[in-house]
Amino acid sequence: MAEREFKLYDTMTRQVRPLQPLEPGHLKFYTCGPTVYSYAHIGNFRSFLAADLVARTARALGWRVSWVTNITDVGHLTQDDVADAGGEDRMEKALKSKEGERFANVWDLAEFYTRAYLEDWARLNLSEPTVRPKATQHVREQILMALALVERGNAYETPTGVYFDVESQPDYGKLSGNTRDKLQEAVRDVVLDENKRRQADFALWKKDDKHLMQWFSPWGWGFPGWHIECSAMARAYLGDTIDLHSGGEDNAFPHHECEIAQSEAFTGKPFANHWMHVRFLQVEGEKMAKSAGNFFTVRDLIGEGFDPIALRYALISVPYGKPMNFTIQLLRDAEGNVGRFREARRRAAGSALLPSSSGAAPPADAGGDSGAELAANLDRIYDEALEAMCHDLNTSVAIAKALEGVKAVLREPSLDGSMGEAAVRFLDQVEALLGICPVERDDAGACETALIDGRAIESWIDERTAAKSAKDFARADAIREKLASEGIELRDSPEGTTWSRKPKL
RNA sequence: GGCGCCGUACCCAAGUGGUUAAGGGAAGGGUCUGCAAAACCCUCAUUCAGCGGUUCGACUCCGCUCGGCGCCUCCA
């Protein structure tokens, strides 16, 4: 295959340009992860899914991918500038909330939500990053970096902490456009901290011996500032200069701007060569907010009976660079399409046992070598899907291509062995690239989120099958309706009757 | 005020100046089926918010207008 370019929009240069790993064929990629003070919502996951798709696409190109995504398990202040007033951080706030009652302390809480996050990650079929470091396990690196920045004159100590001096990096603001001069005008009603030289200066370390999470540093007890953790962890695992850094659009400023400033001041080298920002998600046309009643976590929707893979499908169906309007209708549409992938898998698996018409000794019949034809067709379609992904992750087109392939498979009235093989290979490739047609696991779906008695359903199905063979269709239909009213859908096929849950929402 | 995004059929949505404006859903028709579902086939935008401009040629580039939206110090 000819060398293919992987193009992505770069926030820094504001243009779509090829991703160019410093070390050819080896992508070093950092993604800002969540603060684990609550369950992640679907907007969080839209961002992580975009990163997952970058990693998948790069792997599909044969690149080695070193993908690091952190877990922020330190609670950072809700207001940077008021170190003392309230002194409450997100973790602490969560601990005091109703949901937080069951936790012994913030560490316990962070552990709980970290686990939930990893579960959601797996349910949505995101691929595993190379390393998933935790901020609390890299406090030493953060302190050392802050210390070096003070020694170099890029940061200074105050009675309340250590602050990065934004004036020391003249190009501060180059990513977001919030340059130092513009910041002066733009700032609205932010509380001023007289300890800081300039209002745009940000904390590397907060002195606080009453904080629920604290470490000892050259400046006494306290905790690290938010931005420094990503700089420290990215450097620890990926080196001074990384190829790509991603996050939600809100991260561009101030978080990424601050990362750039401190990392580049520290190493004297460019921090990241490419920046990717994922647009926010809206729900039913409005900003997702708890007060609006349109706030969905991953587990909320799965709990309603929606297929996690369909949720994934829906969340990636709109390219990451556009604001996305998530709707229940979109999720329903996704379920239908994910069902087609399943159907294709089912049929392909069933065909594997049948002899190939194009086997070792192909009978040169008039029918031709349709196995080879299908394979060639699917190869072409997959290649077009990959091409779409290489064009700034055009998931809309890539998914359309994947569906085109599925249609080609389902169109065949019957699949022989070689066609089945081609179909399986295609589905595996699409799965590796997009993650929307995983091989079913036995434990998938079914009873885990609702209390459904699978055995009772089976016996109803048996009874209905008996009624059907006795031509007692009224009885058979009554059973179908009874189960339907309980959210169970039956489906007859030549191999027998199967059941599945129907979402309530 | 600063930075940026979007307006394509009933809905979601792709479209990298030039052959018939992807794909999905909904809807209608058909094949198949005890029913239901699934699957497949067919139909469904002479037109891309509006107005100008550049061009041999624009949904695609430029300008303006109208309309919607995001971020701007810790929310992905």
Side-chain angles (χ1 to χ4, degrees):
Chain A
M1 175 171 42
E3 206 50 36
R4 200 192 297 254
E5 284 190 331
F6 183 3
K7 295 185 203 156
L8 277 180
Y9 182 83
D10 174 29
T11 311
M12 185 71 85
T13 57
R14 292 190 194 134
Q15 58 183 358
V16 176
R17 61 185 191 84
L19 193 55
Q20 289 169 315
L22 275 177
E23 181 188 317
H26 181 186
L27 181 68
K28 291 177 184 156
F29 175 30
Y30 187 92
T31 299
C32 288
T35 301
V36 285
Y37 64 94
S38 178
Y39 292 117
H41 55 70
I42 57 177
N44 295 316
F45 269 96
R46 164 138 128 121
S47 171
F48 307 143
L49 280 163
D52 174 51
L53 290 170
V54 167
R56 285 171 180 266
T57 302
R59 291 188 202 111
L61 291 172
W63 295 5
R64 179 181 160 203
V65 178
S66 295
W67 179 24
V68 176
T69 182
N70 66 293
I71 289 174
T72 298
D73 53 353
V74 178
H76 295 288
L77 296 181
T78 50
Q79 284 177 293
D80 182 41
D81 300 297
V82 281
D84 36 308
E88 192 171 59
D89 71 13
R90 300 194 108 68
M91 292 272 191
E92 191 170 338
K93 198 172 163 194
L95 187 66
K96 288 177 180 166
S97 73
K98 193 157 180 290
E99 294 76 34
E101 281 176 351
R102 57 180 153 157
F103 302 112
N105 52 51
V106 281
W107 305 89
D108 204 18
L109 177 142
E111 174 67 28
F112 177 85
Y113 287 115
T114 296
R115 201 167 301 159
Y117 162 63
L118 296 179
E119 277 170 22
D120 292 344
W121 183 282
R123 296 303 303 279
L124 291 188
N125 201 24
L126 279 85
S127 62
E128 279 305 295
T130 314
V131 191
R132 205 195 287 277
K134 292 182 178 175
T136 54
Q137 294 173 356
H138 294 81
V139 175
R140 173 188 160 80
E141 288 91 333
Q142 297 175 59
I143 290 173
L144 290 175
M145 193 175 261
L147 199 55
L149 288 170
V150 171
E151 282 168 1
R152 276 167 221 208
N154 293 104
Y156 56 91
E157 182 180 355
T158 74
T160 56
V162 176
Y163 290 93
F164 188 88
D165 178 5
V166 161
E167 288 297 312
S168 74
Q169 285 300 81
D171 59 359
Y172 181 83
K174 61 186 173 184
L175 178 69
S176 62
N178 285 321
T179 50
R180 292 165 304 159
D181 50 324
K182 284 179 182 159
L183 275 174
Q184 300 303 323
E185 320 161 359
V187 170
R188 295 173 306 190
D189 54 346
V190 181
V191 183
L192 275 167
D193 179 351
E194 67 280 5
N195 292 303
K196 299 200 302 192
R197 289 183 192 162
R198 255 164 294 273
Q199 123 90 41
D201 290 353
F202 55 91
L204 298 176
W205 188 263
K206 288 280 189 180
K207 297 178 182 177
D208 184 355
D209 62 4
K210 293 184 183 61
H211 197 255
L212 290 181
M213 283 183 172
Q214 53 178 290
W215 292 264
F216 195 71
S217 76
W219 313 283
W221 289 97
F223 60 97
W226 176 39
H227 314 301
I228 193 79
E229 66 176 57
C230 288
S231 283
M233 289 187 278
R235 182 167 176 276
Y237 294 99
L238 299 172
D240 290 343
T241 300
I242 62 180
D243 299 310
L244 174 66
H245 193 125
S246 83
E249 63 174 315
D250 59 319
N251 280 157
F253 186 87
H255 186 52
H256 291 159
E257 206 70 79
C258 297
E259 283 184 50
I260 292 170
Q262 64 204 2
S263 284
E264 296 190 348
F266 181 83
T267 66
K269 299 175 193 166
F271 176 48
N273 286 330
H274 211 116
W275 289 88
M276 171 182 176
H277 291 97
V278 182
R279 304 304 303 271
F280 267 32
L281 177 84
Q282 289 179 270
V283 174
E284 305 288 354
E286 288 177 61
K287 179 164 178 150
M288 182 163 65
K290 282 179 176 158
S291 56
N294 62 357
F295 187 93
F296 294 121
T297 64
V298 171
R299 47 235 294 142
D300 286 340
L301 291 168
I302 294 174
E304 290 293 340
F306 286 106
D307 177 356
I309 299 301
L311 179 53
R312 175 189 174 94
Y313 182 110
L315 289 172
I316 70 172
S317 65
V318 177
Y320 78 93
K322 287 194 165 192
M324 163 173 188
N325 182 18
F326 181 88
T327 60
I328 293 300
Q329 185 56 49
L330 182 69
L331 188 48
R332 289 213 182 89
D333 293 355
E335 287 208 301
N337 287 128
V338 166
R340 294 166 76 188
F341 284 102
R342 289 228 164 78
E343 181 67 14
R345 272 236 187 257
R346 200 183 61 76
R347 290 200 201 173
S351 75
L353 304 172
L354 299 171
S356 300
S357 59
S358 58
D365 288 347
D369 195 350
S370 53
E373 268 170 37
L374 181 64
N377 195 19
L378 293 179
D379 281 348
R380 193 205 85 237
I381 291 170
Y382 170 73
D383 195 64
E384 288 171 356
L386 178 56
E387 178 62 31
M389 292 301 280
C390 287
H391 194 270
D392 201 21
L393 297 185
N394 192 332
T395 43
S396 295
V397 170
I399 289 173
K401 289 296 167 187
L403 283 171
E404 187 183 329
V406 164
K407 190 174 262 189
V409 171
L410 294 177
R411 186 159 40 214
E412 298 293 340
S414 68
L415 298 175
D416 66 27
S418 71
M419 293 167 96
E421 266 173 41
V424 167
R425 193 161 46 94
F426 174 77
L427 291 168
D428 286 347
Q429 284 180 311
V430 168
E431 166 58 17
L433 184 64
L434 299 172
I436 52 180
C437 48
V439 176
E440 296 295 326
R441 287 162 300 161
D442 290 343
D443 61 325
C447 316
E448 62 190 282
T449 47
L451 298 171
I452 290 180
D453 186 346
R455 214 168 298 175
I457 293 169
E458 296 294 342
S459 77
W460 279 111
I461 288 175
D462 289 343
E463 189 175 333
R464 178 165 165 277
T465 304
K468 272 171 61 181
S469 18
K471 303 270 184 222
D472 183 0
F473 296 123
R475 177 68 184 147
D477 290 349
I479 291 171
R480 175 193 290 289
E481 270 165 46
K482 179 202 155 26
L483 291 176
S485 71
E486 292 168 15
I488 303 299
E489 185 180 74
L490 298 184
R491 186 174 155 189
D492 295 333
S493 77
E495 288 82 41
T497 302
T498 56
W499 64 274
S500 59
R501 262 187 88 198
K502 266 294 183 200
K504 287 171 285 188
L505 216 62

